[in-house]
Amino acid sequence: MDQPAHLPLPKRADDLDAVREHIERMLAAGDTTGALDLLFDLLSRLRNHNEATQTRLLAALRKLYGRSSERFAPDEQGILNGILDDVAAAETEAPATDPPAADPSKDPPRRARPHGRGEMPANLPQRVKRVGLSDEQRTCPCCQKPLRIFGVESRWYIDYEPGSIFVRVFECEKGACPSCPDAGVAQADAPTRPIPGAQVGPGMLARVLVEKAQDQLPLYRQLGRFKREGFDLADSTLQGWWDAGADKLSRLIPLLRERLLQAPAVEIDATILPVLDRDHPKGLHIGSVWTQAVRGVGVVYGYEHGKKLGLQSVIKTLLPSTNPTDPARPIPRFVMDGEWLIARELAVLSKPPQCCMMHARRYFEKAFQAKDLRASVAMGYFRTLFDIERRAKDLSSAERQALRDAESAPVLEALREWITEMWPSAPPRTPLGVALRYSANRWMQLGLFVLDGDLPIDTGEAERQHRRIALGRKNYLFAGSDAGAVRLCTVLSLCGCCHMLGIDPWQYLRDVLDRMPDGLTDDQLRALLPMNWKTGTPEA
């Protein structure tokens, strides 16, 4: 009697009755072994289905109610227990009520905001500075007699210092010779402005840049803050200040990337950034922000249109020059997650990247949260490795490598043996099987840090720098255009470097914007990079 290989999983009581009748027919026909095999196969598939469902449920519950930290403690085996009871006890909710509709007739009429630069605000305090004629200007070019000062001409812009918005006024002296009316009028030159033609000083411009890039405060919220401080500003003017300030600083970014790529190890990671796009069916497209970070040195963000790899500009910078007279460029070792597409792009540099140990650990942490206690063994090994790295944080490169040879290498070998032992007993689609396969396929790249004291064990610094992007996505939601995303990455890079180096970003940007006229050479611009500005020394 031909029997089907297996039955579909029962979902209702009627299905169970059909299974019972089928097994009874097999027993009546004398096929006891086949009936037992069918029954155990059905129970096994039911168990696997139940475990997969429980894993997805626990992952969803942890995302909603659990902590986001991945820190592991040996006694940490009851995490998320009881959440189902808490959810069941909290099922009572207040009935939702619709808010009353607004009466359009009671809305006040909107008045159009006047365009243009406008007059000098009369309600802001003024700080007046007299600008005198130079020694050459004080003498009449015709008769060489001293000029008689007869008045001043005021030039002003809006400036800012912490705690106050004020108008900085420069009273530029004007002089003329009474004896020589044809000699004309001499006038003192006012200090240059960060943005030619704009009534904004370096302090106010630095505040706008820092509050959006460092504090993730959208421009419309800044307008509200300015209004509360007594300064009413047009949104188009503020947007123009932001665009012009970011464009002015953009010349520093290639030099900053060049400086970071001189380090022996560079962490690289990517995140997404929605960008407004009127030609897209959904109104916006998803761009990519690539972060390159060197611990203790700096960070640089690069924007790419779409979800594609943004490594071509980096690789082009590192490839040997076709000009034989150019000096050889040092190629750093990149530290990245286990994405094989990134590794394929970096393969042309003939230096295999170090894979992030934190990403490998994360898969075992997910298996542990899915109640597979076998993953706690791997979590213990990872905890030992990261404890060693914390002790090696302040050591030199040679001392760190010696410590890793003595202590980290035996732990890695024990972890490798455990993965080899567990491989046959973990189904490939279970959380533990996925974790084992991820680490085994990247084992050589995961252990490169033991051979080089300059290599970090993970991409933790690059991921921490992503917080600035993630918080921005929650505040301003999207960038206005691809050009706006590039400007955002420009200011984010400089603010990120200041944060890493312990520099006040407002102090830094105010000084750089005041000392950055057009026409500076690359060597002069290198002195304005955050790491060189902090020490006051030229680039090493």
Side-chain angles (χ1 to χ4, degrees), residues 33-49:
T33 303
L36 289 175
D37 291 342
L38 179 61
L39 181 60
F40 279 102
D41 177 67
L42 185 61
L43 291 174
S44 175
R45 290 190 292 119
L46 282 172
R47 183 187 62 182
N48 294 337
H49 180 74

Side-chain angles (χ1 to χ4, degrees), residues 120-122 124-128 155-160 165-169:
M120 182 172 62
L124 295 181
Q126 299 182 5
R127 300 185 184 183
V128 181
R155 307 286 180 87
W156 59 273
Y157 54 62
I158 306 296
D159 207 348
Y160 170 81
I165 302 178
F166 60 92
V167 177
R168 193 184 296 276
V169 181

Side-chain angles (χ1 to χ4, degrees), residues 116-118 155-159 168 170 191-202 204-205 231 233 236-245 248:
R117 187 174 299 163
R155 307 286 180 87
W156 59 273
Y157 54 62
I158 306 296
D159 207 348
R168 193 184 296 276
F170 297 93
T192 59
R193 305 169 186 175
I195 304 175
Q199 305 296 104
V200 59
M204 173 61 81
L205 184 57
F231 178 44
L233 184 65
S236 59
T237 302
L238 187 60
Q239 183 67 55
W241 289 358
W242 162 265
D243 293 346
K248 187 179 184 68

Side-chain angles (χ1 to χ4, degrees), residues 332-365:
R333 180 88 67 176
F334 285 98
V335 187
M336 45 161 275
D337 60 15
E339 177 58 54
W340 67 272
L341 289 173
I342 304 178
R344 185 185 66 183
E345 293 291 326
L346 296 176
V348 299
L349 301 179
S350 69
K351 274 192 174 184
Q354 157 77 28
C355 286
C356 173
M357 192 68 75
M358 186 167 57
H359 280 76
R361 176 192 177 279
R362 189 169 295 159
Y363 285 93
F364 288 100
E365 193 265 345

